[in-house]
Amino acid sequence: METNAAGGATSNRLYEDFEPYCKWLTKDGQKTLEIDLKGFKKEQLKVQTKSRGVLTIYGERPFGASSNNKWSRFHKEIRISKDCNVNGIHAKFSHGILSIVMPKKETIQQAKDAAMEKYSICGIETRKRTAIKFALGVVVVVALGSYIARLVVNRHPHDAVGKVNVVNV
């Protein structure tokens, strides 16, 4: 830990710099940085991205309730990876944990795959074009079967109708 006297409007403050505990999590193609900041309030934290691809995380708070000029602070800069969607970065502070979610950019192939809708035929997942071909094939087979059945019935009409007993009353 390092203690510094700050200049300017807060010249009476003494700062104690510290390095908070950080943990990286990766899930579903996105990275999440969790920072343990127990004792901080949301208003005492600042998270921002800079144009040069750097994520800046900063916070400061009074050090203890009785001390008015002693403050605790931290400052972290993290390089944002090139496969990160910078516009999708968002932070949440809850129960003393600052979570910063950095979603992965969609590649061109992933975008194409997402655009190509998937369908299911007989429990088998398939692409739209294959599903249409399969459906057309079923229609042709049913139509052909109906046509053949009519030919058979027209060739032997008495066999198809069967014998009927007529009773007069």
Side-chain angles (χ1 to χ4, degrees), residues 12 14 29 45 59 63 83 97 121 146 165:
N12 60 342
L14 289 172
L45 302 171
F63 196 75
D83 67 341
I97 303 292
I121 297 175
S146 297
N165 291 331

Side-chain angles (χ1 to χ4, degrees), residues 37-157:
L37 296 169
K38 301 236 184 319
F40 276 83
K41 296 178 183 172
K42 183 179 179 179
E43 302 80 35
Q44 299 167 330
L45 302 171
K46 187 175 185 180
V47 178
Q48 66 184 140
T49 56
K50 295 182 179 176
S51 61
R52 62 176 200 233
V54 175
L55 178 71
T56 303
I57 309 154
Y58 175 80
E60 67 178 26
R61 69 178 177 94
F63 196 75
S66 62
S67 174
N68 10 340
N69 70 338
K70 198 171 184 183
W71 286 64
S72 177
R73 71 179 176 187
F74 73 96
H75 181 92
K76 293 189 78 59
E77 286 191 353
I78 299 168
R79 179 150 309 279
I80 300 170
S81 68
K82 292 184 184 206
D83 67 341
C84 177
N85 177 4
V86 177
N87 294 329
I89 294 175
H90 60 278
K92 179 178 127 181
F93 186 67
S94 178
H95 304 291
I97 303 292
L98 177 64
S99 298
I100 303 167
V101 178
M102 293 178 251
K104 194 174 184 179
K105 277 184 189 174
E106 249 187 31
T107 64
I108 294 171
Q109 186 59 42
Q110 288 170 332
K112 284 181 181 177
D113 289 346
M116 190 91 136
E117 295 179 41
K118 292 187 176 184
Y119 293 88
S120 178
I121 297 175
C122 303
I124 300 169
E125 204 169 283
T126 181
R127 298 206 183 273
K128 188 176 182 178
R129 184 174 288 161
T130 306
I132 291 170
K133 287 179 183 178
F134 182 79
L136 285 174
V138 169
V139 168
V140 168
V141 168
V142 169
L144 187 60
S146 297
Y147 178 74
I148 292 172
R150 282 188 180 171
L151 284 178
V152 169
V153 169
N154 288 338
R155 212 174 258 180
H156 306 287

Side-chain angles (χ1 to χ4, degrees), residues 19-24 33-36 57 74 76 78:
E19 185 70 28
Y21 173 75
C22 300
K23 174 172 66 171
W24 283 99
L33 176 61
E34 289 186 348
I35 305 173
D36 186 4
I57 309 154
F74 73 96
K76 293 189 78 59
I78 299 168

